[in-house]
């Protein structure tokens, strides 16, 4: 038996992505969407490319993490329950250039995200090798909560000049990333409501978020994990007479705003970030083991 056995595992496995939060250097909870593979031993496997290694660096300082399975797009499930998982993560500083040890994870990605197979073609390899230079993250769950789905409201968010209001208004809900009294990260899907002082948020009783640094994550993808977009509104969670309020400070959009021209900028930034990670460790750029990835992609195509 594992901690995860208290959750509906078929539902967890059906989710295409989850929200994953780590703690930054200053203790701020930072959440991003990611793909997860459940292992037979009850742990969860994630990965991050060198280009987006911040979550790995955060884990090496503080292994407390949380995951929330709450966006069912592509899962084939209608209104599935949300699943919150809190736990400890490990991320060794070993750069994986092939799929060994994570074959099921990569096979899952190639099956669920067919367009990623195109990254393996010869013309794309010089541009996309950063995508395959990965760090593996293993999460050992310590607590699990199953929550009912949050119904989508048909009422659009009110107009506001708050920082991040334009990004949040494009989504019916967002995911609050905050901390509990011990400093561990917590997550909850909520409906941010603009107010003069910030975004009012409501969270379930099993989410013991306390005042302090916090953020609101919005993200989307289609049924095949394409057309992805995400934005993070960072700020401070405060208590008010009316309840909890997220006072925004800045917006982070690592993949741009969704314009076609953003793709060039993203490719440039991923190359720089990958080079920076390697340079700081005095490492040459590793060679991706393309044939091994291609074999898994072919397996996925046949499936």
């Amino acid at each position: 038996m594992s901690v995860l056995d208290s959750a509906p595992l078929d539902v967890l496995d059906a989710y295409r992505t989850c929200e994953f939060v780590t703690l930054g250097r200053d203790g701020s909870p930072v959440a991003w969407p990611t793909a997860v593979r459940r292992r037979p031993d009850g742990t969860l496997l994630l990965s991050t490319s060198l280009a987006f290694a911040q979550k790995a660096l955060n884990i090496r300082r503080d292994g407390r993490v949380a995951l929330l399975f709450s966006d069912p797009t592509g899962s084939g499930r209608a209104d599935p329950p949300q699943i919150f998982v809190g736990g400890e993560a490990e991320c060794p500083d070993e750069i994986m250039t092939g799929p060994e040890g994570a074959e099921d994870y990569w096979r899952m990605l190639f099956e669920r995200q067919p367009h990623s197979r195109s990254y393996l073609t010869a013309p794309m390899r010089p541009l996309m090798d950063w995508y395959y230079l990965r760090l593996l993250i293993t999460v050992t769950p310590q607590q699990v909560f199953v929550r009912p789905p949050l119904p989508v409201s048909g009422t659009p968010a009110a107009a506001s000049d708050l920082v991040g209001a334009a990004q949040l208004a494009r989504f019916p809900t967002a995911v609050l990333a905050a901390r509990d009294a011990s400093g561990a990260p917590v997550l909850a899907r909520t409906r941010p409501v603009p107010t003069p002082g910030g975004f009012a948020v409501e969270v379930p009783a099993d989410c013991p978020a306390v005042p302090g640094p916090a953020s609101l994550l919005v993200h989307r993808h289609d049924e095949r994990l394409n057309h992805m977009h995400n934005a993070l509104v960072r700020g401070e969670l405060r208590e008010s007479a009316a309840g909890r309020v997220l006072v925004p400070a800045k917006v982070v959009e690592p993949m741009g705003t969704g314009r076609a021209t953003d793709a060039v900028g993203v490719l440039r930034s991923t190359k720089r970030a990958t080079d920076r990670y390697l340079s700081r460790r005095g490492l040459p750029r590793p060679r991706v083991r393309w044939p091994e990835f291609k074999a898994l992609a072919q397996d996925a195509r046949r499936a």
Side-chain angles (χ1 to χ4, degrees), residues 4 12 17-24 27-36 44-46 55 58-59 62-70 83-90 137-145 147 175-180 182-189 206-209 215 217 219:
L4 276 185
L12 186 149
T17 60
C18 76
E19 295 84 31
F20 179 61
V21 60
T22 61
L23 296 171
S28 298
V30 181
W32 296 111
T34 188
V36 179
L44 298 170
L45 178 64
L46 304 81
K55 60 177 71 72
N58 290 347
I59 288 168
D62 190 330
R64 294 177 294 178
V65 300
L67 308 90
L68 182 65
F69 298 81
S70 66
I83 303 172
F84 170 85
V85 180
E88 288 281 335
E90 295 180 340
I137 299 169
T138 299
V139 176
T140 301
Q142 296 178 332
Q143 59 177 337
V144 174
F145 296 110
R147 300 169 182 162
V175 172
L176 173 70
R179 301 184 303 189
D180 65 16
S182 74
V186 293
L187 293 165
R189 187 164 285 274
D206 63 29
C207 180
S215 58
L217 169 67
H219 67 99

Side-chain angles (χ1 to χ4, degrees), residues 3 12 14 23 43 71-72 76 116 131 157 188 220 222 235 261 264 267 272 278-279 283-284 297-298:
V3 173
L12 186 149
L23 296 171
T43 62
D71 179 356
S116 66
Y131 181 82
R220 65 169 174 262
D222 64 17
T261 54
V264 175
L267 287 175
R272 288 195 299 266
L278 295 169
S279 175
L283 299 172
Q298 289 173 341

Side-chain angles (χ1 to χ4, degrees), residues 1-2 45 97 105 141 172 185 195 234 278:
M1 293 288 290
S2 72
L45 178 64
T97 59
Y105 177 88
T195 71
R234 301 186 66 172
L278 295 169

